[in-house]
Amino acid sequence: MMNAPFTIEQIGMRDTSPAAVIGRKAATRNRGPAFRKGEIHSMRALSVTSEVFPLIKTGGLADVTGSLPKALLPFGIETTTLVPGYPAVMKKIERAGVPLLVFDHLLGERATLVHGKVDDLDLFVLDIPTLYDRPGGPYVDYAGNDHPDNWKRFAALSLAGAEIAAGILPGWVPDIVHTHDWQSALTSVYMREKGCATPVVLTIHNLAFQGQYAASLLPFMGLPESTLSMDCLEYFGDISTLKGGLQTADAITTVSPTYAREILTPRFGMGLDGVLNERVTVLRGIVNGIDMDIWDPATDAHIPQRYDSTSLRRKRANRSALLDHFGLDQGDGPIFSAVSRLTWQKGMDMFADTADEVIFKGGRIIVFGQGDHDIEQQLLDTAARFAGRMAVKIGYAEPTAHLIHAGSDAIVQPSRFEPCGLTQLYALRYGCVPVVSRTGGLSETIIDANDAAISARVATGFQFHPVNTDGLRLALRRALDAYGDPRSWARLQNQGMKTKFSWERSADQYAGVYSSLVRGTTNSDNNARRQVY
Ligand code: ADP
Ligand code: GLC
């Protein structure tokens, strides 16, 4: 079925004969002592993902899959990332890419696996023109409709991941496979069907998207009827690729400890809380880090004036450029901004409902993003009422996101649920004060400016709960009051900029999860429970 026109050795990838790989696997699989913090592991990981920065990004998933490999390197973990060959990806890999092998019939499609490097990333790109070479984004067409064959596009990605895990590439076999969200969750289902026992970690970045498709598609995914069972793919009579992943992965992580607890409840579990409770012993939360090189106001090429915590007044030049960019009146008063998907999850409708609070107190508002048409329209209508003081732009552009962080005073994130959230972390680094709902990762990355936190000099932002417009309104009021006292505002900014945002600690935790699985020293039930609760 498959030819291998090139082998890994021919293109000069590091390593090695299959014998060496097998020897190394045997060594790493020896049940050694449990993982110790900060330990070096020497391991090879395959990350299977539908997005990876800087090749293709629709949100935080790409930031995480793009930055985690670099963060894992100091722990001796080398990651190769498998990603679909969308046009943007093929364009970036074009010159650097070397075809490794051809699948004649990957779910009926001809596919080429290409190896290449972009920046620090080592990549396998799955080039299937019939599935990926089309206009629009990774998931939707230009009109915002899902690609009708998404089930197949991401089943093919997962199947290719499983083939690699099972050893289709001579000389390159991963010790661990890391899958992300519903798009690659089927990888572990395919692997188990192939009898491939390589450990798999599935990270839930967002439980709201579950890869739910008609059960009749099962044979077209190349999966046997037996996988349509309660303990695998079956989900209210349909297939859920995410559920299949949750049932077959060896460890499940999500992107903050609070979200790990929240998703065990019906309110946040989105229909999968039952499965998650059954698998709670292998579930843990690891908070996301950020790429400290890409998001650094001292070196950021996208902003007119660079600065750091000792030169915060330089933000003024960025503020001025930001107001010009969005066609707002120049002048004093705080700028409250949002860079976000404009969706119900992100609570952007609540921001529209409370805009008057900021504007009537002399502030300005900038909203940049795209998402649900109704919410976009609600924001645009609100901005029309406050011409010169509030701007809403529908769109997506990395440089603009950086400029907003550099020029704003506060970043508003009133999410109804937020697995981790990265925007508030970028805000902290850029000396913006986050105003956030108390949920998921927001609740544990921002320290509310309550009296105790202020006197301990650890406050970094404003949290609100319950998550509704009244809650947001009160939080905006508190932030506006604090802005009126320049010394306390500056203290908030400085404390925020001192926060540890890097991957170091979280990468250590991922390394620990990988290591315990590879060594077969998976956490005992009690240990795992301790991590969740
Ligand atoms: P989510 O992944 O749920 O959308 P995160 O906060 O984890 O939320 O990550 C969002 C990422 O997407 C951040 O890197 C943010 O800067 C980026 N982003 C969101 N909206 C835009 C936009 N309109 N233009 C550019 N980047 C954006
Ligand atoms: C998801 C979540 C977000 C998280 C991101 C990266 O898109 O909505 O909270 O930060 O994934 O893990």
Side-chain angles (χ1 to χ4, degrees):
M1 177 169 95
M2 290 139 193
N3 342 323
F6 298 87
T7 67
I8 295 272
E9 284 84 356
Q10 279 173 298
I11 62 161
M13 266 178 75
R14 193 192 66 84
D15 222 12
T16 68
S17 66
V21 173
I22 290 161
R24 197 159 55 85
K25 278 189 90 116
T28 51
R29 275 178 195 282
N30 265 341
R31 285 175 184 249
F35 163 76
R36 285 185 305 278
K37 194 167 177 295
E39 196 179 336
I40 306 294
H41 307 270
S42 178
M43 211 184 286
R44 181 180 277 160
L46 173 68
S47 170
V48 188
T49 179
S50 57
E51 312 184 14
V52 59
F53 185 85
L55 288 99
I56 182 82
K57 167 171 167 180
T58 71
L61 168 62
D63 287 348
V64 171
T65 55
S67 53
L68 182 58
K70 192 164 71 173
L72 287 171
L73 261 187
F75 297 93
I77 298 169
E78 291 179 9
T79 306
T80 303
T81 304
L82 173 66
V83 64
Y86 314 113
V89 173
M90 293 314 293
K91 206 168 150 210
K92 287 229 170 80
I93 196 106
E94 217 164 37
R95 280 206 212 112
V98 179
L100 289 182
L101 62 81
V102 172
F103 297 89
D104 285 329
H105 283 286
L106 194 73
L107 301 183
E109 308 294 332
R110 187 177 163 83
T112 309
L113 191 67
V114 179
H115 173 251
K117 281 184 192 290
V118 172
D119 299 343
D120 295 324
L121 290 171
D122 193 60
L123 296 161
F124 290 140
V125 174
L126 186 64
D127 181 21
I128 314 181
T130 46
L131 295 184
Y132 305 133
D133 183 12
R134 59 180 71 164
Y139 317 120
V140 296
D141 63 19
Y142 276 133
N145 301 314
D146 280 5
H147 297 299
D149 54 353
N150 274 347
W151 64 272
K152 188 171 190 180
R153 300 168 79 233
F154 297 110
L157 174 73
S158 304
L159 180 53
E163 294 285 7
I164 296 170
I168 199 170
L169 294 174
W172 199 96
V173 187
D175 301 299
I176 186 99
V177 175
H178 194 157
T179 60
H180 303 269
D181 279 349
W182 72 269
Q183 297 93 329
S184 56
L186 273 184
T187 306
S188 49
V189 176
Y190 286 119
M191 283 169 65
R192 300 314 172 227
E193 286 306 304
K194 287 178 188 306
C196 171
T198 304
V200 178
V201 179
L202 165 62
T203 297
I204 304 168
H205 296 265
N206 195 331
L207 203 61
F209 306 101
Q210 304 182 347
Q212 195 171 350
Y213 295 105
S216 56
L217 290 171
L218 195 71
F220 303 101
M221 291 177 170
L223 286 166
E225 192 67 31
S226 57
T227 56
L228 192 63
S229 62
M230 286 279 282
D231 60 2
C232 195
L233 289 169
E234 193 278 335
Y235 188 59
F236 300 106
D238 285 342
I239 288 167
S240 159
T241 63
L242 182 60
K243 184 184 165 196
L246 294 175
Q247 296 284 32
T248 49
D250 300 277
I252 302 166
T253 64
T254 187
V255 287
S256 68
T258 301
Y259 193 59
R261 286 189 291 273
E262 287 173 341
I263 56 180
L264 297 174
T265 65
R267 174 152 169 236
F268 291 95
M270 307 212 161
L272 286 169
D273 43 300
V275 177
L276 287 161
N277 274 289
E278 276 167 28
R279 302 233 61 211
V280 69
T281 55
V282 299
L283 169 69
R284 70 176 289 181
I286 302 176
V287 79
N288 288 330
I290 65 172
D291 189 316
M292 300 287 278
D293 298 329
I294 291 170
W295 292 91
D296 181 358
T299 56
D300 194 327
H302 297 304
I303 63 178
Q305 179 65 63
R306 298 182 189 152
Y307 61 97
D308 61 22
S309 57
T310 63
S311 53
L312 261 173
R313 73 199 132 61
R314 293 206 198 141
K315 266 179 83 89
R316 274 208 85 78
N318 295 319
R319 168 197 174 86
S320 181
L322 176 64
L323 291 173
D324 276 350
H325 185 94
F326 279 88
L328 292 181
D329 302 339
Q330 294 286 342
D332 291 337
I335 304 176
F336 282 59
S337 300
V339 182
S340 177
R341 288 187 285 118
L342 305 180
T343 61
W344 182 87
Q345 174 195 343
K346 300 291 180 180
M348 283 295 136
D349 51 321
M350 292 191 273
F351 194 21
D353 285 339
T354 50
D356 56 322
E357 193 69 41
V358 176
I359 305 292
F360 292 160
K361 296 224 172 86
R364 286 170 178 69
I365 290 179
I366 290 171
V367 178
F368 183 53
Q370 56 193 19
D372 297 346
H373 182 71
D374 289 354
I375 295 177
E376 289 179 358
Q377 198 53 52
Q378 184 188 359
L379 284 158
L380 288 166
D381 292 346
T382 311
R385 283 173 44 217
F386 301 122
R389 308 298 299 242
M390 173 169 177
V392 172
K393 263 198 188 154
I394 307 303
Y396 192 97
E398 203 73 27
T400 312
H402 285 246
L403 177 63
I404 291 175
H405 286 282
S408 302
D409 298 292
I411 291 286
V412 181
Q413 228 172 322
S415 306
R416 290 188 168 88
F417 68 94
E418 195 61 73
C420 178
L422 295 171
T423 317
Q424 82 280 9
L425 301 178
Y426 302 145
L428 291 175
R429 187 122 214 257
Y430 279 65
C432 299
V433 175
V435 179
V436 304
S437 50
R438 189 181 307 139
T439 186
L442 299 175
S443 67
E444 52 199 304
T445 54
I446 303 303
I447 301 177
D448 180 61
N450 57 41
D451 265 2
I454 290 171
S455 53
R457 300 195 170 226
V458 292
T460 57
F462 297 89
Q463 287 188 352
F464 65 94
H465 200 271
V467 184
N468 56 30
T469 42
D470 288 343
L472 175 56
R473 196 173 277 283
L474 290 176
L476 291 172
R477 259 181 223 167
R478 291 172 63 211
L480 286 155
D481 286 349
Y483 185 84
D485 175 356
R487 275 187 56 204
S488 52
W489 191 262
R491 203 172 295 143
L492 282 176
Q493 288 178 297
N494 276 302
Q495 282 157 194
M497 289 181 96
K498 273 193 222 135
T499 307
K500 272 240 166 213
F501 334 85
S502 81
W503 266 109
E504 219 172 295
R505 192 165 148 256
S506 308
D508 197 358
Q509 292 172 5
Y510 275 113
V513 172
Y514 287 8
S515 179
S516 55
L517 291 174
V518 169
R519 293 173 184 201
T521 53
T522 322
N523 299 307
S524 71
D525 286 9
N526 281 345
N527 269 343
R529 273 187 192 279
R530 212 177 48 225
Q531 282 153 3
V532 171
Y533 293 106

mmCIF file of all heavy atoms in Angstrom, residues 357-395:
data_model
loop_
_atom_site.group_PDB
_atom_site.id
_atom_site.type_symbol
_atom_site.label_atom_id
_atom_site.label_comp_id
_atom_site.label_asym_id
_atom_site.label_seq_id
_atom_site.Cartn_x
_atom_site.Cartn_y
_atom_site.Cartn_z
ATOM 1 N N GLU A 357 -19.805 52.029 30.476
ATOM 2 C CA GLU A 357 -19.119 52.209 31.758
ATOM 3 C C GLU A 357 -17.736 52.832 31.534
ATOM 4 O O GLU A 357 -17.338 53.745 32.254
ATOM 5 C CB GLU A 357 -18.966 50.824 32.410
ATOM 6 C CG GLU A 357 -18.557 50.842 33.850
ATOM 7 C CD GLU A 357 -19.653 51.376 34.773
ATOM 8 O OE1 GLU A 357 -20.835 51.039 34.564
ATOM 9 O OE2 GLU A 357 -19.310 52.163 35.671
ATOM 10 N N VAL A 358 -17.038 52.325 30.537
ATOM 11 C CA VAL A 358 -15.680 52.812 30.253
ATOM 12 C C VAL A 358 -15.741 54.172 29.561
ATOM 13 O O VAL A 358 -15.040 55.123 29.929
ATOM 14 C CB VAL A 358 -14.917 51.798 29.358
ATOM 15 C CG1 VAL A 358 -13.545 52.324 28.958
ATOM 16 C CG2 VAL A 358 -14.783 50.451 30.074
ATOM 17 N N ILE A 359 -16.604 54.265 28.563
ATOM 18 C CA ILE A 359 -16.644 55.489 27.747
ATOM 19 C C ILE A 359 -17.089 56.685 28.603
ATOM 20 O O ILE A 359 -16.476 57.756 28.550
ATOM 21 C CB ILE A 359 -17.607 55.313 26.541
ATOM 22 C CG1 ILE A 359 -17.220 54.080 25.712
ATOM 23 C CG2 ILE A 359 -17.666 56.577 25.696
ATOM 24 C CD1 ILE A 359 -15.932 54.156 24.973
ATOM 25 N N PHE A 360 -18.137 56.499 29.418
ATOM 26 C CA PHE A 360 -18.651 57.631 30.202
ATOM 27 C C PHE A 360 -17.659 58.073 31.275
ATOM 28 O O PHE A 360 -17.755 59.172 31.804
ATOM 29 C CB PHE A 360 -20.010 57.290 30.836
ATOM 30 C CG PHE A 360 -21.106 57.134 29.809
ATOM 31 C CD1 PHE A 360 -22.279 56.436 30.107
ATOM 32 C CD2 PHE A 360 -20.993 57.695 28.536
ATOM 33 C CE1 PHE A 360 -23.289 56.284 29.158
ATOM 34 C CE2 PHE A 360 -21.995 57.542 27.580
ATOM 35 C CZ PHE A 360 -23.154 56.834 27.894
ATOM 36 N N LYS A 361 -16.716 57.209 31.592
ATOM 37 C CA LYS A 361 -15.697 57.632 32.579
ATOM 38 C C LYS A 361 -14.421 58.108 31.874
ATOM 39 O O LYS A 361 -13.344 58.140 32.475
ATOM 40 C CB LYS A 361 -15.385 56.478 33.530
ATOM 41 C CG LYS A 361 -16.584 56.075 34.377
ATOM 42 C CD LYS A 361 -16.213 55.848 35.837
ATOM 43 C CE LYS A 361 -17.438 55.649 36.697
ATOM 44 N NZ LYS A 361 -17.893 54.259 36.733
ATOM 45 N N GLY A 362 -14.530 58.437 30.609
ATOM 46 C CA GLY A 362 -13.390 59.046 29.905
ATOM 47 C C GLY A 362 -12.428 58.060 29.257
ATOM 48 O O GLY A 362 -11.355 58.452 28.800
ATOM 49 N N GLY A 363 -12.821 56.784 29.213
ATOM 50 C CA GLY A 363 -11.924 55.796 28.608
ATOM 51 C C GLY A 363 -12.209 55.579 27.132
ATOM 52 O O GLY A 363 -13.131 56.171 26.557
ATOM 53 N N ARG A 364 -11.391 54.748 26.522
ATOM 54 C CA ARG A 364 -11.600 54.354 25.125
ATOM 55 C C ARG A 364 -11.582 52.827 25.056
ATOM 56 O O ARG A 364 -10.966 52.168 25.895
ATOM 57 C CB ARG A 364 -10.469 54.899 24.241
ATOM 58 C CG ARG A 364 -10.571 56.398 24.002
ATOM 59 C CD ARG A 364 -9.298 56.907 23.334
ATOM 60 N NE ARG A 364 -9.373 58.333 23.042
ATOM 61 C CZ ARG A 364 -9.378 59.291 23.955
ATOM 62 N NH1 ARG A 364 -9.315 58.979 25.239
ATOM 63 N NH2 ARG A 364 -9.451 60.564 23.612
ATOM 64 N N ILE A 365 -12.229 52.326 24.018
ATOM 65 C CA ILE A 365 -12.305 50.864 23.874
ATOM 66 C C ILE A 365 -11.868 50.458 22.466
ATOM 67 O O ILE A 365 -12.270 51.082 21.474
ATOM 68 C CB ILE A 365 -13.746 50.370 24.129
ATOM 69 C CG1 ILE A 365 -14.083 50.536 25.607
ATOM 70 C CG2 ILE A 365 -13.918 48.907 23.706
ATOM 71 C CD1 ILE A 365 -15.493 50.094 25.974
ATOM 72 N N ILE A 366 -11.067 49.401 22.418
ATOM 73 C CA ILE A 366 -10.678 48.809 21.125
ATOM 74 C C ILE A 366 -10.973 47.310 21.186
ATOM 75 O O ILE A 366 -10.581 46.636 22.143
ATOM 76 C CB ILE A 366 -9.173 49.036 20.856
ATOM 77 C CG1 ILE A 366 -8.937 50.528 20.571
ATOM 78 C CG2 ILE A 366 -8.679 48.175 19.696
ATOM 79 C CD1 ILE A 366 -7.483 50.923 20.507
ATOM 80 N N VAL A 367 -11.682 46.819 20.178
ATOM 81 C CA VAL A 367 -11.938 45.379 20.100
ATOM 82 C C VAL A 367 -11.462 44.902 18.738
ATOM 83 O O VAL A 367 -11.840 45.471 17.701
ATOM 84 C CB VAL A 367 -13.434 45.043 20.278
ATOM 85 C CG1 VAL A 367 -13.663 43.541 20.135
ATOM 86 C CG2 VAL A 367 -13.941 45.530 21.630
ATOM 87 N N PHE A 368 -10.628 43.865 18.740
ATOM 88 C CA PHE A 368 -10.107 43.335 17.488
ATOM 89 C C PHE A 368 -10.286 41.822 17.487
ATOM 90 O O PHE A 368 -9.831 41.128 18.401
ATOM 91 C CB PHE A 368 -8.620 43.682 17.355
ATOM 92 C CG PHE A 368 -8.015 43.235 16.057
ATOM 93 C CD1 PHE A 368 -8.582 43.581 14.838
ATOM 94 C CD2 PHE A 368 -6.862 42.467 16.049
ATOM 95 C CE1 PHE A 368 -8.022 43.175 13.643
ATOM 96 C CE2 PHE A 368 -6.280 42.055 14.855
ATOM 97 C CZ PHE A 368 -6.867 42.413 13.653
ATOM 98 N N GLY A 369 -10.976 41.312 16.490
ATOM 99 C CA GLY A 369 -11.167 39.867 16.419
ATOM 100 C C GLY A 369 -12.221 39.499 15.408
ATOM 101 O O GLY A 369 -12.707 40.335 14.643
ATOM 102 N N GLN A 370 -12.566 38.249 15.420
ATOM 103 C CA GLN A 370 -13.615 37.780 14.530
ATOM 104 C C GLN A 370 -14.279 36.577 15.165
ATOM 105 O O GLN A 370 -13.734 35.968 16.070
ATOM 106 C CB GLN A 370 -13.067 37.438 13.150
ATOM 107 C CG GLN A 370 -11.949 36.411 13.175
ATOM 108 C CD GLN A 370 -11.213 36.308 11.843
ATOM 109 O OE1 GLN A 370 -11.276 37.200 11.015
ATOM 110 N NE2 GLN A 370 -10.531 35.201 11.646
ATOM 111 N N GLY A 371 -15.489 36.273 14.692
ATOM 112 C CA GLY A 371 -16.182 35.142 15.297
ATOM 113 C C GLY A 371 -17.630 35.089 14.884
ATOM 114 O O GLY A 371 -17.949 35.150 13.693
ATOM 115 N N ASP A 372 -18.529 35.024 15.886
ATOM 116 C CA ASP A 372 -19.953 34.890 15.582
ATOM 117 C C ASP A 372 -20.494 36.200 15.010
ATOM 118 O O ASP A 372 -20.262 37.274 15.572
ATOM 119 C CB ASP A 372 -20.734 34.546 16.856
ATOM 120 C CG ASP A 372 -20.289 33.205 17.421
ATOM 121 O OD1 ASP A 372 -19.599 32.471 16.682
ATOM 122 O OD2 ASP A 372 -20.606 32.923 18.585
ATOM 123 N N HIS A 373 -21.245 36.059 13.939
ATOM 124 C CA HIS A 373 -21.736 37.233 13.242
ATOM 125 C C HIS A 373 -22.549 38.137 14.174
ATOM 126 O O HIS A 373 -22.390 39.365 14.166
ATOM 127 C CB HIS A 373 -22.559 36.808 12.036
ATOM 128 C CG HIS A 373 -23.051 37.973 11.251
ATOM 129 N ND1 HIS A 373 -22.208 38.761 10.488
ATOM 130 C CD2 HIS A 373 -24.286 38.528 11.169
ATOM 131 C CE1 HIS A 373 -22.916 39.743 9.949
ATOM 132 N NE2 HIS A 373 -24.176 39.624 10.334
ATOM 133 N N ASP A 374 -23.415 37.556 15.006
ATOM 134 C CA ASP A 374 -24.284 38.364 15.885
ATOM 135 C C ASP A 374 -23.470 39.195 16.870
ATOM 136 O O ASP A 374 -23.789 40.360 17.130
ATOM 137 C CB ASP A 374 -25.220 37.450 16.692
ATOM 138 C CG ASP A 374 -26.270 36.828 15.798
ATOM 139 O OD1 ASP A 374 -26.321 37.210 14.606
ATOM 140 O OD2 ASP A 374 -27.021 35.959 16.290
ATOM 141 N N ILE A 375 -22.457 38.566 17.405
ATOM 142 C CA ILE A 375 -21.639 39.284 18.401
ATOM 143 C C ILE A 375 -20.788 40.349 17.710
ATOM 144 O O ILE A 375 -20.640 41.469 18.214
ATOM 145 C CB ILE A 375 -20.796 38.287 19.223
ATOM 146 C CG1 ILE A 375 -21.752 37.399 20.040
ATOM 147 C CG2 ILE A 375 -19.814 39.000 20.137
ATOM 148 C CD1 ILE A 375 -21.102 36.312 20.865
ATOM 149 N N GLU A 376 -20.277 40.029 16.538
ATOM 150 C CA GLU A 376 -19.538 41.038 15.766
ATOM 151 C C GLU A 376 -20.428 42.255 15.541
ATOM 152 O O GLU A 376 -20.021 43.400 15.754
ATOM 153 C CB GLU A 376 -19.119 40.471 14.398
ATOM 154 C CG GLU A 376 -18.023 39.424 14.449
ATOM 155 C CD GLU A 376 -17.652 38.852 13.068
ATOM 156 O OE1 GLU A 376 -18.279 39.246 12.049
ATOM 157 O OE2 GLU A 376 -16.767 38.011 13.016
ATOM 158 N N GLN A 377 -21.680 41.987 15.118
ATOM 159 C CA GLN A 377 -22.601 43.085 14.805
ATOM 160 C C GLN A 377 -22.941 43.896 16.045
ATOM 161 O O GLN A 377 -22.990 45.126 16.014
ATOM 162 C CB GLN A 377 -23.872 42.505 14.154
ATOM 163 C CG GLN A 377 -24.706 43.530 13.404
ATOM 164 C CD GLN A 377 -23.876 44.314 12.360
ATOM 165 O OE1 GLN A 377 -23.203 43.713 11.530
ATOM 166 N NE2 GLN A 377 -23.916 45.645 12.433
ATOM 167 N N GLN A 378 -23.161 43.195 17.154
ATOM 168 C CA GLN A 378 -23.481 43.891 18.410
ATOM 169 C C GLN A 378 -22.335 44.841 18.797
ATOM 170 O O GLN A 378 -22.567 45.989 19.210
ATOM 171 C CB GLN A 378 -23.692 42.848 19.520
ATOM 172 C CG GLN A 378 -24.116 43.452 20.843
ATOM 173 C CD GLN A 378 -24.122 42.410 21.977
ATOM 174 O OE1 GLN A 378 -23.820 41.227 21.755
ATOM 175 N NE2 GLN A 378 -24.456 42.863 23.169
ATOM 176 N N LEU A 379 -21.106 44.390 18.620
ATOM 177 C CA LEU A 379 -19.953 45.228 18.952
ATOM 178 C C LEU A 379 -19.839 46.400 17.982
ATOM 179 O O LEU A 379 -19.584 47.536 18.393
ATOM 180 C CB LEU A 379 -18.675 44.381 18.922
ATOM 181 C CG LEU A 379 -18.499 43.460 20.139
ATOM 182 C CD1 LEU A 379 -17.560 42.302 19.824
ATOM 183 C CD2 LEU A 379 -17.963 44.250 21.345
ATOM 184 N N LEU A 380 -20.060 46.119 16.692
ATOM 185 C CA LEU A 380 -19.978 47.199 15.701
ATOM 186 C C LEU A 380 -21.038 48.264 15.980
ATOM 187 O O LEU A 380 -20.776 49.466 15.904
ATOM 188 C CB LEU A 380 -20.153 46.629 14.282
ATOM 189 C CG LEU A 380 -18.969 45.801 13.749
ATOM 190 C CD1 LEU A 380 -19.376 44.996 12.503
ATOM 191 C CD2 LEU A 380 -17.772 46.704 13.421
ATOM 192 N N ASP A 381 -22.250 47.812 16.333
ATOM 193 C CA ASP A 381 -23.325 48.766 16.636
ATOM 194 C C ASP A 381 -22.968 49.616 17.852
ATOM 195 O O ASP A 381 -23.236 50.824 17.886
ATOM 196 C CB ASP A 381 -24.645 48.016 16.911
ATOM 197 C CG ASP A 381 -25.186 47.344 15.641
ATOM 198 O OD1 ASP A 381 -24.699 47.689 14.542
ATOM 199 O OD2 ASP A 381 -26.077 46.467 15.760
ATOM 200 N N THR A 382 -22.363 48.976 18.842
ATOM 201 C CA THR A 382 -21.982 49.721 20.047
ATOM 202 C C THR A 382 -20.930 50.761 19.693
ATOM 203 O O THR A 382 -21.003 51.922 20.133
ATOM 204 C CB THR A 382 -21.432 48.753 21.122
ATOM 205 O OG1 THR A 382 -22.335 47.666 21.256
ATOM 206 C CG2 THR A 382 -21.274 49.450 22.462
ATOM 207 N N ALA A 383 -19.944 50.356 18.879
ATOM 208 C CA ALA A 383 -18.883 51.302 18.500
ATOM 209 C C ALA A 383 -19.468 52.490 17.740
ATOM 210 O O ALA A 383 -19.007 53.630 17.906
ATOM 211 C CB ALA A 383 -17.837 50.582 17.657
ATOM 212 N N ALA A 384 -20.500 52.223 16.932
ATOM 213 C CA ALA A 384 -21.104 53.312 16.157
ATOM 214 C C ALA A 384 -21.718 54.368 17.094
ATOM 215 O O ALA A 384 -21.757 55.558 16.768
ATOM 216 C CB ALA A 384 -22.162 52.746 15.216
ATOM 217 N N ARG A 385 -22.155 53.941 18.269
ATOM 218 C CA ARG A 385 -22.728 54.906 19.239
ATOM 219 C C ARG A 385 -21.652 55.771 19.879
ATOM 220 O O ARG A 385 -21.925 56.830 20.417
ATOM 221 C CB ARG A 385 -23.469 54.133 20.355
ATOM 222 C CG ARG A 385 -24.824 53.608 19.921
ATOM 223 C CD ARG A 385 -25.456 52.702 20.975
ATOM 224 N NE ARG A 385 -25.345 53.201 22.319
ATOM 225 C CZ ARG A 385 -25.133 52.429 23.407
ATOM 226 N NH1 ARG A 385 -25.013 51.122 23.268
ATOM 227 N NH2 ARG A 385 -25.064 52.951 24.606
ATOM 228 N N PHE A 386 -20.419 55.274 19.866
ATOM 229 C CA PHE A 386 -19.339 55.984 20.557
ATOM 230 C C PHE A 386 -18.199 56.330 19.592
ATOM 231 O O PHE A 386 -17.027 56.060 19.866
ATOM 232 C CB PHE A 386 -18.804 55.128 21.711
ATOM 233 C CG PHE A 386 -19.834 54.751 22.741
ATOM 234 C CD1 PHE A 386 -20.096 53.427 23.025
ATOM 235 C CD2 PHE A 386 -20.545 55.734 23.429
ATOM 236 C CE1 PHE A 386 -21.045 53.065 23.975
ATOM 237 C CE2 PHE A 386 -21.497 55.381 24.390
ATOM 238 C CZ PHE A 386 -21.760 54.049 24.661
ATOM 239 N N ALA A 387 -18.571 56.933 18.481
ATOM 240 C CA ALA A 387 -17.566 57.231 17.447
ATOM 241 C C ALA A 387 -16.422 58.054 18.039
ATOM 242 O O ALA A 387 -16.633 58.960 18.832
ATOM 243 C CB ALA A 387 -18.232 58.003 16.308
ATOM 244 N N GLY A 388 -15.220 57.701 17.655
ATOM 245 C CA GLY A 388 -14.024 58.412 18.141
ATOM 246 C C GLY A 388 -13.527 57.874 19.468
ATOM 247 O O GLY A 388 -12.386 58.113 19.859
ATOM 248 N N ARG A 389 -14.414 57.144 20.188
ATOM 249 C CA ARG A 389 -14.027 56.640 21.511
ATOM 250 C C ARG A 389 -13.977 55.112 21.554
ATOM 251 O O ARG A 389 -13.382 54.552 22.457
ATOM 252 C CB ARG A 389 -15.043 57.107 22.578
ATOM 253 C CG ARG A 389 -15.304 58.599 22.583
ATOM 254 C CD ARG A 389 -14.046 59.366 22.905
ATOM 255 N NE ARG A 389 -13.530 59.020 24.209
ATOM 256 C CZ ARG A 389 -13.396 59.874 25.220
ATOM 257 N NH1 ARG A 389 -13.743 61.132 25.069
ATOM 258 N NH2 ARG A 389 -12.906 59.476 26.377
ATOM 259 N N MET A 390 -14.664 54.502 20.631
ATOM 260 C CA MET A 390 -14.645 53.032 20.639
ATOM 261 C C MET A 390 -14.492 52.531 19.196
ATOM 262 O O MET A 390 -15.207 52.985 18.299
ATOM 263 C CB MET A 390 -15.949 52.487 21.236
ATOM 264 C CG MET A 390 -16.071 50.970 21.129
ATOM 265 S SD MET A 390 -17.457 50.328 22.111
ATOM 266 C CE MET A 390 -17.383 48.588 21.703
ATOM 267 N N ALA A 391 -13.558 51.622 18.987
ATOM 268 C CA ALA A 391 -13.356 51.056 17.646
ATOM 269 C C ALA A 391 -13.460 49.548 17.712
ATOM 270 O O ALA A 391 -12.930 48.914 18.628
ATOM 271 C CB ALA A 391 -11.983 51.449 17.109
ATOM 272 N N VAL A 392 -14.148 48.992 16.729
ATOM 273 C CA VAL A 392 -14.236 47.537 16.614
ATOM 274 C C VAL A 392 -13.779 47.180 15.202
ATOM 275 O O VAL A 392 -14.314 47.710 14.231
ATOM 276 C CB VAL A 392 -15.675 47.045 16.848
ATOM 277 C CG1 VAL A 392 -15.793 45.558 16.539
ATOM 278 C CG2 VAL A 392 -16.104 47.329 18.286
ATOM 279 N N LYS A 393 -12.765 46.331 15.099
ATOM 280 C CA LYS A 393 -12.334 45.869 13.769
ATOM 281 C C LYS A 393 -12.489 44.376 13.715
ATOM 282 O O LYS A 393 -12.020 43.654 14.609
ATOM 283 C CB LYS A 393 -10.878 46.251 13.506
ATOM 284 C CG LYS A 393 -10.772 47.516 12.699
ATOM 285 C CD LYS A 393 -9.403 47.664 12.056
ATOM 286 C CE LYS A 393 -9.342 49.066 11.433
ATOM 287 N NZ LYS A 393 -7.996 49.588 11.327
ATOM 288 N N ILE A 394 -13.140 43.931 12.641
ATOM 289 C CA ILE A 394 -13.290 42.493 12.446
ATOM 290 C C ILE A 394 -12.119 42.042 11.593
ATOM 291 O O ILE A 394 -11.926 42.538 10.482
ATOM 292 C CB ILE A 394 -14.637 42.181 11.729
ATOM 293 C CG1 ILE A 394 -15.813 42.841 12.463
ATOM 294 C CG2 ILE A 394 -14.834 40.673 11.571
ATOM 295 C CD1 ILE A 394 -15.967 42.475 13.923
ATOM 296 N N GLY A 395 -11.330 41.149 12.123
ATOM 297 C CA GLY A 395 -10.181 40.682 11.354
ATOM 298 C C GLY A 395 -9.226 39.916 12.229
ATOM 299 O O GLY A 395 -9.492 39.683 13.416
#
